[in-house]
Amino acid sequence: MIAFLHGLASDAMILHAPALLVAVPLIFSAVITFLPSGRVAWLVTVLVSLFSLWCAAILQHEVSLNGPISYALGGFPPPIGIEFRVDALNTLFLLLVTGIGFLAAIGSWATVNAEMRDTRINLFYAAYLVCFTGLAGVAITNDAFNLFVFLEISSIATYVLVGVGARRDRRALPAAFNYLIMGTIGATFFVIGVGFLYAATGTLNLTDLAARIPDSESPRAVQAGLAFIVVGLGLKLAMYPLHQWLPNAYAYAPSFVTVFLSATATKVSFYALVRFLTYVFPEVDAENILFTAVFAPLGIAAMIICSFQAVFQVDVRRTLAYSSVAQVGYMLLGLSLATAVGLSASLLFLFNHALMKGALFLALAGVVLHYQGTQMRDMAGLGRQAPWTMTAFAICALSLIGVPLTAGFASKVTLLSACFDKGWWWAAFVIVGASLLAVVYMGRIIEAAFFRAPANPQKLRKEAPVSLLVPLWFLAIANIWIGFDASFPAGLADDAAGAALSTMVRP
Amino acid sequence: MAELLETLLSWFHVVREPVGGVLLVVGGLLAIVGAVGLLRFPDIYTRLHATSVTDTGAATLMIVGMILLSPTGWVALKLVFIWVFMFLANPTASHAIANAAYTAGMEPKIGPSGDTGEADR
Amino acid sequence: MSVVNPDIGVLLVNVTLLALLFFVAIAIARLRSLFAIVMLTGAYSLISAMWFVAVDAVDVAFTEAAVGAGVSTVLMLGAMLLTARTARVEPNWKRLGPLAVCLVTGAVLIYATIDLPAFGDADSAANSHVGAMYLQRTAAEIDIPNVVTAVLASYRGFDTLGETAVVFAAGLAVSLLLGFGERSLSASHKPARANLKGVLVPSNKSDHHVVLRVVAKVLIPIVMIYALYVHFHGELSAGGGFQAGTIFAVAIVLYSLLFGITAALDAFPVIWARSIAAFGVLLYAGVGFWALMNGGNYLDYDFVLPPDDPDYGPEDANTWSQHVGIILIELGVLFAVAGSLISIFYAFAGRAPEIRDEDW
Amino acid sequence: MFEFIGERYNYWMIIGLMMIGLYITFQSSNLIKRLTGLSIFQTSVFLFYVTLSKVNGGSAPILFGRDWKGQGKKAEAEAANGATGDAVATPYGGDGHGDAGAVGYGPVDGLYETYSNPLPHVLILTAIVVSVATLSLGLALIVRIREAYGSIESDDVARADLETALAEAADRDESEATA
């Protein structure tokens, strides 16, 4: 399918795909503010995200054919100008961001029309496209400060997208404000880290940084830079102790925003962390204490504590938000193994989790459309009242738990084998324990939805609109398809891990 | 007439540097006087009087000093523009502050300003 | 040999300004009156702008003074007007946690500076690698004296496009959250309020601002012309799109402060502000596409105009089209910054104050 | 020892400012004061970047004097036939190549005058506008929080959220009781 998409493109298109992938959404976010009606803005958003998905597919095909692509912006060669560098690691995240962006955009009209004031719909879609541009930019740029600028673009748009949820629930405002404070502190820590690297080496291009760090004459500044970058991205990534902003932000944001953010925002920061650890700091080898002393314990703590907290949540969206933080714990555990298999397992886990969580929140968006509440009691009996949405929800819930023949199972199995491969048998027990907790908190929701009498029976059968069901069922089927043969995402994850670790010092 | 101009010009070149320097120093001192006035005067109106008069005066002296020290004609012209803009904006700003203080109903302190006096009387 | 700057004058100015910043920062930490805090933040930005001039960063000083001290103080005052006046007393036990975190972070930072290059060292890693390349190549490739504008617009032009997107996103975000000042159109006449002495003070429609209005009518055109000067002179001396846009926005803000928000909305309607902001981003990204169409990479200004001299080989830079490219994208930045800041100001000003009078 | 301090006093003072900004952000419960702390923290990071760019004896990175003779091509033509030589007297005195006074001065080859490093200036121009954008968004959120909650102290806001959560729990229990 990707080869077919690649065949469509003219060679000028292929040559400039990296720049177009980021520039086109930015231009159309400005164009959208001129458009009068919200529906036209929605259509433009869908087409633009499709175009970016097409560019990502072209890039994936190009990279798989003839290796990493380097695109010099402004025509100046890398250390002087800003460079986009696309290798197997980037394409996985580009496909993820643009794919989920496209699917979420398709299903967005119903929920956005219901939750937003109609004069503000085109501004809402403009902010969404700016966020889309920022995330795609972070995933593609090869310049440290440019990465900060794109991180800020996506963050500012995310803060307002979360804050706009105040029309339905006023708690979105303090949630957005706390997210702003924590996110800005994270971004400023990242800038301090980049400042130290610049002071030590004199360059901002990641490739140039990797080359000049070993023989820089201020090694302490490099270590401090690494520490600040890890803390800064950790804040953006919702690493365990720095995740307080995530549950409220995802719970009270408009439902469409949570669909897009839960599947892409933290993932892109995870990419930036992997890119810095494996590509920029070559001397961060497998035995580095960062992996064993920081990522492993924090990942395990996230898996256990956040899954535990998810069990006691009343609001379904907060349960899913806490489970997102727990899943980030799984990915950090995979990263902390510091082996090719471990990294590939965590990337596969990340890819599948994006599909699951995106589908779960999309189903919730369909439910919220007619039944307004997402408390546990409002979920009672929805299985019969909105069968299509809830069966897709159930499929993805089982996939989150890791029931065999689902995507979740495939990713958990690869993670388990990576742990055994490294000899961390106790980590395997932790994974199984966290999955049991997942069974509890997801099972509770499924049981309420399917096996309980509907809370307000007089509500007639109201199904989510087709425009939302199509992407929902596409993701649900994808979950099952990956359960059967995980070749596509697993292949992507292996190439990405290979590309990332090719530069890291072998253990 | 021509040689008068010439001697003036040559005299000007000689005296330019020191006079510019002196003007700058005097402007600086005037600004310090304004700051001391700000600290020691009892209420807003007298403070405003101290700061606004000295600020405009100090800035004017400094700008004239800089004009004398300026290397090329262009810099001097730009300094003149700055002076004109500041000469318009600065007094207006102090007028605005005084006006706002008056409409907000702040009373100027009348009577002896000894800090011992008013507390108990 | 030591790299300590022998020129004791620069050393003294440097230390006093940083000490001044210390006092302002500590005062902000201890104060509870929000009005004083906002004013001190403006002072903090202005002193850091002075310090930037002392350290030869004139473009940064210009921007910090215009954007940091100017616009953010106006915005904070606007927000403070709409919210509260004083902050609540903090319980002492709350200070220990943050203090510990800050001390740890400070310790890591100090540890990192032990082998950082000395202050002012010319052949430190930072000053000898890419930074020096820009200084060498600008005269030949882009042919403008202000190297900062050359790097900002041409070498790292994509950063500035991202920057314009951030400003556009901020204008969008504040309009999404606070609307476009429609409320001010409805509540056109604010009720007269009694001041401290109980005298009824007519609100904005009175004429006791006559002096300000006369002077404003003289000054506002000068400010706008100065904004255009800063924009077009950005290549030769400190200046550029951001500063020009900010100054243009401040002129409109001054007008609306003196003649009332409704008069300003008639003079410069909100729809203009929003579309100028969007047009700025379009212009900037459009120049990139134009270069793409002419065969160059994205945002490659060599391809904006056909080469001026016939024997144009690939190696010599098309400096004339670099000039045109830089002026165009600086215009885009001017529009984006001016449009966004004006729509942000309208959003704040238009939010009729909900505060109760006893808060005032 | 004095030399070690003499070279790094700048960094330590700026780190002190950063920590004060961070302290204000974490410690204060008033939302506007937290934003001011954040903007002080960010401004101090800008100070840190610009200290990296200072070169002893250097001036602002605007080419002047013998490095800049107007149009690039015209300048090369002149330099090629050596027409004007030293037409423009540099205002800062010195014949360009290395003022003897400035110790540790290493001229960028190909340039007569010494300049500070332009790259951190460009980065900070971008970062300043980012910090103002974040500030304006934070203030907009504060105005909305004030209208929704009636106060801008994070303790009051948190307490109000707690009350709504408890109210929801209460009517959920009572609805379960009736079901």
Side-chain angles (χ1 to χ4, degrees), chain C residues 248-266:
Chain C
F248 188 84
V250 162
I252 305 286
V253 166
L254 182 64
Y255 184 79
S256 69
L257 286 181
L258 290 181
F259 296 91
I261 184 76
T262 42
L265 282 173
D266 304 341

Side-chain angles (χ1 to χ4, degrees), chain A residues 13 116 119 183 198 267 269 296 312 330 360 372 395 439-440 486 499:
Chain A
M13 178 69 189
M116 285 298 298
T119 55
Y198 176 71
K267 312 285 186 294
S269 308
F312 296 105
Y330 283 91
L360 287 172
Q372 290 313 322
I395 293 169
V439 167
V440 171

Side-chain angles (χ1 to χ4, degrees), chain A residues 161-230:
Chain A
L161 288 174
V162 169
V164 160
R167 205 157 168 264
R168 216 154 47 84
D169 182 341
R170 71 172 186 177
R171 283 174 290 195
L173 292 170
F177 188 78
N178 289 333
Y179 186 7
L180 180 137
I181 294 281
M182 300 282 274
T184 312
I185 289 179
T188 313
F189 269 50
F190 180 76
V191 166
I192 295 176
V194 168
F196 278 128
L197 293 186
Y198 176 71
T201 58
T203 172
L204 287 169
N205 186 294
L206 297 186
T207 327
D208 211 10
L209 267 176
R212 288 174 69 89
I213 278 181
D215 51 31
S216 122
E217 82 274 11
S218 29
R220 284 196 188 83
V222 168
Q223 284 162 8
L226 170 65
F228 272 95
I229 285 176
V230 165

Side-chain angles (χ1 to χ4, degrees), chain C residues 173-195:
Chain C
V174 175
S175 310
L176 261 173
L177 283 172
L178 297 183
F180 303 110
E182 305 93 344
R183 287 199 196 164
S184 65
L185 292 179
S186 55
S188 62
H189 183 72
K190 284 199 270 300
R193 280 179 301 99
N195 66 11

Side-chain angles (χ1 to χ4, degrees), chain C residues 204-245:
Chain C
N204 63 353
K205 272 291 169 283
S206 74
D207 62 356
H208 71 290
H209 286 307
V210 68
V211 170
L212 290 179
R213 289 192 176 163
V214 165
V215 173
K217 279 222 172 359
V218 170
L219 283 188
I220 287 180
I222 297 180
V223 169
M224 289 198 175
I225 294 171
Y226 180 61
L228 291 180
Y229 164 76
V230 164
H231 164 69
F232 285 104
H233 204 262
E235 290 180 2
L236 301 175
S237 75
F242 295 117
Q243 299 90 340

